[in-house]
Amino acid sequence: MKLVCISFAISVTISSLLIIISTLFSKKTILDREKSSPFECGFDPKNTSRVPFSIRFFLIAIVFLIFDIEISILLPLSIISSTIPPMVWILTGSAFLAVVTLGLYYEWAESTLEWIT
């Protein structure tokens, strides 16, 4: 137990030192207006270079990731279908799909899936 505590203390100390050293050396001391502005062939930019990020796009991307992960969770069910009884396999898959479908219905009811700019 003592060895675990010592190794934990050493790892926390090393991690903290690395974080402190990286923040000390990564600070930019000189902010140059020319370097922070976008490059437009020597001319001053007419408008901001940063386009505001749409939160709708982010929410739709999250929903896509959820369904992508859902497919990766359902694929092993078909692989192990020969080792478990068919009724358990069907109930497990159906329950999981029902929960995901309810989540999709909730997203649809909250109109998260509508693209409004």
Side-chain angles (χ1 to χ4, degrees):
M1 184 67 179
K2 188 176 182 179
L3 182 62
V4 172
C5 290
I6 291 172
S7 62
F8 178 73
I10 290 172
S11 63
V12 167
T13 305
I14 290 174
S15 300
S16 300
L17 283 174
L18 287 175
I19 290 171
I20 291 169
I21 290 171
S22 67
T23 55
L24 288 177
F25 288 123
S26 68
K27 297 271 184 184
K28 290 185 179 180
T29 57
I30 300 172
L31 294 176
D32 189 12
R33 185 181 80 84
E34 296 299 324
K35 287 185 180 179
S36 63
S37 68
F39 179 71
E40 289 191 14
C41 300
F43 297 107
D44 285 332
K46 293 181 180 178
N47 52 12
T48 62
S49 64
R50 303 203 183 261
V51 177
F53 187 73
S54 172
I55 194 70
R56 293 283 185 188
F57 174 77
F58 179 73
L59 291 175
I60 289 176
I62 293 296
V63 170
F64 172 76
L65 285 174
I66 289 171
F67 283 103
D68 195 31
I69 291 171
E70 174 246 336
I71 289 173
S72 66
I73 290 173
L74 279 177
L75 281 177
L77 273 178
S78 64
I79 295 172
I80 63 168
S81 65
S82 61
T83 60
I84 59 175
M87 197 60 179
V88 173
W89 183 79
I90 290 172
L91 286 175
T92 305
S94 298
F96 186 74
L97 284 175
V99 168
V100 171
T101 304
L102 284 173
L104 177 63
Y105 177 73
Y106 177 75
E107 294 289 332
W108 189 10
E110 291 289 319
S111 65
T112 305
L113 300 175
E114 292 179 9
W115 188 269
I116 300 172
T117 55

